[in-house]
Amino acid sequence: MQKDLRASFNQSFSQEKYQAFLADLNKATQNSLEFRVAETPIFVPKAFKEKLMLTCESIIDVIVKDDFKAKTEKAIPAHQIVPNENKHTSFLAIDFAVCQDEEGEFVPQLIELQGFPSLFGFQYLLSETIQKHYAIPDNYDFMFNDFDRKSYIEAFRKLIVGDEKTENVILLEIYPEKQKTRVDFEVTERLIGVKAVCLTKIIKEGKKLFYMNEGVKTPIYRICNRLIFDDLTNFPDLKTDFNLTDDVEVEWIGHPNWFFRISKYTMPFLKNPYIPTCQFLSDYQGNFPENLSDYVLKPLFSFAGTGVKINIDKSDLTSILDPENYILQKKVQYQPVIQTTDGTKVKAEIRMLYIWQNDEARPTLLTNLARLSRGEMIGVRFNKDFDWVGGTVCFMEK
């Protein structure tokens, strides 16, 4: 996106340098990477960065309104409501495609958003390793709001640990040692001391929760939640002391209800030049747009792109029995924008990552992640056997 930096990076790139970078990244963790890391970071100029940030702020303006909770009550499935919801989400992730407008200018377009944590730990490590192996200009950074590496960790620790001891705070997952994102759990523990604990290892006694910490039964006062209900459906015979919907005496950092409230369900409430038109399917009452080839159908209650239908016709829409649980969104045309060393270009998606401290009125932009793609969609399964694709980070002009 920043032509001079891209040209300089590509000129100095070599497979040997990339393999050394990967080796160093894997060496820094006990868990080998289960997802592809791209050959390059993204260099984002200030003008594009400002478009991203202003669009995010317009989204936050909607989320902080007094009526937001009332508008999103139906976002939470009745059988998945978790008690003791806090006043706002602890995390906010906002995904944008890099596109091009009619004048040929690069612009962001919102893809989706979620009130759920992302790879805050891994992005810290990834950016550090990139800076070790590649020349990144001093006026480009992966952080925002004057954070440096020390204050990044301090803010992350304040959000998750708060005033508790680290042993009384856990990161909750289902079989964390098997998750593709387990490297993030490892880096998070290294940065702030909080361990990943499997749901099956939680001990419930009345309303109190415990886990075995190096053989010692230890109370849990705070849970950083990385577990979503969709994951539990993969284990229908799972036996646990604790269910997410139980009324227990813990503070959720990333309360499960916010995963639903801030999601695809939120998108019809958002209006901005960089946010594509979006409506609940039920709102059309059968009067669908004629140009359905310009739209994508998304189920509200799905994760990681499952159930998304890109090529639709009217019969796809009329056959849906619960249209209130779907959105029809104007298609976003990703523009191949990142020049590779073989002369081709790849698509890019940028995720802006916010934390929201309990004592603050609005979330704070902390960092970002990005993904490069040659496939029809961004996800890993659409980009198998390609190079210059996968996870990365943006360094944005200050």
Side-chain angles (χ1 to χ4, degrees):
M1 292 177 64
Q2 193 73 308
K3 287 186 177 180
D4 54 341
L5 292 181
R6 173 53 52 206
S8 175
F9 181 93
N10 288 9
Q11 187 174 14
S12 65
F13 178 83
S14 69
Q15 275 298 322
E16 291 76 18
K17 185 180 290 189
Y18 174 58
Q19 292 302 323
F21 155 70
L22 285 181
D24 209 15
L25 192 60
N26 276 296
K27 185 179 177 181
T29 63
Q30 295 178 2
N31 294 301
S32 58
L33 296 175
E34 286 290 320
F35 49 87
R36 194 178 196 282
V37 176
E39 282 80 347
T40 179
I42 300 176
F43 301 108
V44 177
K46 188 181 295 184
F48 192 89
K49 169 186 169 182
E50 289 175 353
K51 289 184 177 73
L52 287 168
M53 294 178 69
L54 288 172
T55 306
C56 288
E57 288 303 311
S58 77
I59 293 169
I60 292 168
D61 287 342
V62 173
I63 293 171
V64 300
K65 285 184 177 179
D66 292 339
D67 64 351
F68 183 73
K69 274 197 172 185
K71 281 185 174 180
T72 56
E73 281 301 312
K74 293 181 180 179
I76 311 168
H79 64 291
Q80 294 179 341
I81 295 174
V82 177
N84 306 313
E85 182 181 323
N86 51 4
K87 61 184 179 180
H88 57 67
T89 185
S90 303
F91 303 97
L92 179 60
I94 308 178
D95 292 353
F96 293 93
V98 179
C99 303
Q100 201 168 29
D101 64 16
E102 294 177 355
E103 285 73 41
E105 185 177 352
F106 291 124
V107 294
Q109 285 288 311
L110 179 69
I111 299 298
E112 60 184 14
L113 66 165
Q114 54 187 18
F116 195 73
S118 194
L119 306 181
F120 286 91
F122 180 71
Q123 292 306 106
Y124 183 96
L125 173 65
L126 176 61
S127 59
E128 187 175 55
T129 311
I130 287 173
Q131 288 176 314
K132 179 179 176 182
H133 286 264
Y134 301 116
I136 307 297
D138 290 339
N139 63 325
Y140 281 74
D141 204 346
F142 77 104
M143 295 175 285
F144 304 89
N145 291 305
D146 297 322
F147 281 102
D148 57 21
R149 289 193 176 272
K150 181 180 178 181
S151 59
Y152 181 111
I153 296 172
E154 289 172 350
F156 194 37
R157 181 183 291 111
K158 177 185 175 183
L159 177 70
I160 295 175
V161 180
D163 296 326
E164 302 293 348
K165 296 178 180 178
T166 53
E167 61 264 31
N168 299 123
V169 183
I170 66 163
L171 187 155
L172 181 66
E173 248 291 10
I174 182 70
Y175 303 123
E177 70 282 359
K178 297 180 181 179
Q179 297 292 333
K180 287 185 178 181
T181 52
R182 64 182 182 270
V183 63
D184 181 65
F185 307 155
E186 179 189 335
V187 179
T188 296
E189 181 176 355
R190 187 188 311 164
L191 292 177
I192 63 173
V194 173
K195 296 180 179 180
V197 178
C198 182
L199 178 68
T200 63
K201 303 295 184 183
I202 304 296
I203 303 163
K204 181 187 172 192
E205 296 180 359
K207 287 191 172 186
K208 298 186 182 300
L209 300 182
F210 303 85
Y211 74 111
M212 298 305 294
N213 181 21
E214 298 181 1
V216 178
K217 185 178 174 183
T218 305
I220 300 168
Y221 300 141
R222 280 183 152 214
I223 294 176
C224 177
N225 184 49
R226 292 292 291 267
L227 179 61
I228 61 172
F229 284 98
D230 275 11
D231 287 345
L232 294 180
T233 62
N234 297 323
F235 307 96
D237 300 323
L238 198 69
K239 298 289 190 289
T240 62
D241 273 3
F242 168 55
N243 297 313
L244 287 184
T245 53
D246 290 344
D247 186 1
V248 290
E249 294 176 357
V250 297
E251 182 177 1
W252 292 95
I253 311 304
H255 192 286
N257 291 356
W258 286 102
F259 172 79
F260 295 107
R261 290 188 185 278
I262 301 176
S263 64
K264 291 186 286 290
Y265 194 96
T266 313
M267 294 186 66
F269 305 125
L270 307 175
K271 308 297 178 189
N272 184 279
Y274 303 126
I275 297 177
T277 301
C278 181
Q279 282 187 236
F280 295 109
L281 189 60
S282 56
D283 287 349
Y284 286 98
Q285 298 182 336
N287 298 314
F288 305 119
E290 292 185 6
N291 54 332
L292 287 177
S293 60
D294 292 341
Y295 288 81
V296 59
L297 179 68
K298 295 182 178 181
L300 291 176
F301 305 111
S302 69
F303 189 64
T306 57
V308 173
K309 194 170 181 62
I310 295 176
N311 300 308
I312 55 177
D313 57 37
K314 190 172 181 179
S315 64
D316 293 317
L317 306 183
T318 56
S319 64
I320 291 174
L321 301 178
D322 55 342
E324 69 279 4
N325 292 328
Y326 287 79
I327 57 172
L328 200 59
Q329 180 184 333
K330 196 78 177 290
K331 274 184 181 176
V332 167
Q333 298 297 328
Y334 287 78
Q335 178 68 27
V337 63
I338 306 300
Q339 183 78 52
T340 72
T341 53
D342 67 5
T344 60
K345 293 183 179 181
V346 297
K347 304 169 188 174
E349 188 171 288
I350 298 171
R351 174 175 292 177
M352 306 289 271
L353 294 175
Y354 289 76
I355 59 174
W356 198 341
Q357 306 287 4
N358 282 345
D359 57 354
E360 293 181 352
R362 294 172 73 91
T364 300
L365 181 57
L366 181 58
T367 187
N368 75 87
L369 65 77
R371 293 182 289 182
L372 302 183
S373 171
R374 293 183 188 264
E376 186 176 26
M377 294 178 69
I378 290 288
V380 173
R381 63 182 178 274
F382 302 101
N383 287 276
K384 291 180 179 178
D385 304 321
F386 291 138
D387 62 0
W388 286 71
V389 299
T392 187
V393 65
C394 296
F395 287 90
M396 301 197 188
E397 188 177 10
K398 294 180 181 178

